[in-house]
């Protein structure tokens, strides 16, 4: 059975401080990563922490991209969740790794929404 979505959890290391600590740069790179992956961007919101760090989410028609940065450590925690077959979450992760000037990416993918046959049969009968 096909999953409803793909969820990539990414650990991005060795990123440039000046990028990870700049809310406008992080926002643009995240939105562009969604577009690069073929997603349709709906909305986005980002917050700058003091003294450093940025968190944000990009809502896409196909689900979302989220980030939290630790510029002082050169680290970004990212998750990219996509539904359907049109958007490739790995394209977004690779784009982010490049644009953050990262040295290393560690990531894992989880299939989401693999429903047992009984639930899909019952849903059809509703």
């Amino acid at each position: 059975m096909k999953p409803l979505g793909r969820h990539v959890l990414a650990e991005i290391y060795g990123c440039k401080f000046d990028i990870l600590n700049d809310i406008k740069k992080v926002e643009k790179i995240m939105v562009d990563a969604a577009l690069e992956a073929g997603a349709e961007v709906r909305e986005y919101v980002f917050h700058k922490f003091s003294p450093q760090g940025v968190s944000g989410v990009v809502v896409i028609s196909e689900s979302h991209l989220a980030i939290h940065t630790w510029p002082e450590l050169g680290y970004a925690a990212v998750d990219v969740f996509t539904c359907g077959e049109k958007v490739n979450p790995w394209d977004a992760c690779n784009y982010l790794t490049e644009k953050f000037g990262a040295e290393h990416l560690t990531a894992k993918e989880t299939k989401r929404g693999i429903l047992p046959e009984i639930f899909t049969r019952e849903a059809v009968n509703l």
Side-chain angles (χ1 to χ4, degrees), residues 6-7 39-40 42-43 57-65 79-83 87:
R6 300 165 65 191
H7 199 161
E40 181 179 338
R42 293 296 182 166
E43 318 181 40
V57 64
V58 178
V59 178
I60 57 177
S61 294
E62 302 81 5
S63 195
H64 71 271
L65 289 79
D79 77 274
V80 181
F81 183 18
T82 63
C83 299
V87 180

Side-chain angles (χ1 to χ4, degrees), residues 18-124:
D18 62 319
I19 296 173
L20 292 189
N21 203 42
D22 185 317
I23 189 171
K24 290 298 178 193
K25 287 179 184 175
V26 172
E27 180 180 286
K28 178 171 180 9
I29 290 168
M30 288 289 288
V31 169
D32 288 349
L35 297 172
E36 181 75 17
E40 181 179 338
V41 174
R42 293 296 182 166
E43 318 181 40
Y44 49 89
V45 62
F46 287 81
H47 176 79
K48 173 77 168 77
F49 293 95
S50 181
Q52 60 221 3
V54 174
S55 284
V57 64
V58 178
V59 178
I60 57 177
S61 294
E62 302 81 5
S63 195
H64 71 271
L65 289 79
I67 189 168
H68 186 76
T69 73
W70 284 263
E72 71 278 17
L73 301 175
Y75 169 72
V78 173
D79 77 274
V80 181
F81 183 18
T82 63
C83 299
E85 307 218 357
K86 179 183 138 195
V87 180
N88 184 343
W90 290 102
D91 289 344
C93 289
N94 291 330
Y95 182 87
L96 293 169
T97 301
E98 176 190 338
K99 295 302 180 182
F100 290 153
E103 296 171 3
H104 185 71
L105 165 70
T106 300
K108 65 180 178 176
E109 179 177 330
T110 300
K111 306 291 189 224
R112 303 294 304 268
I114 300 176
L115 304 174
E117 182 65 28
I118 187 142
F119 290 118
T120 56
R121 233 185 347 214
E122 288 176 1
V124 170

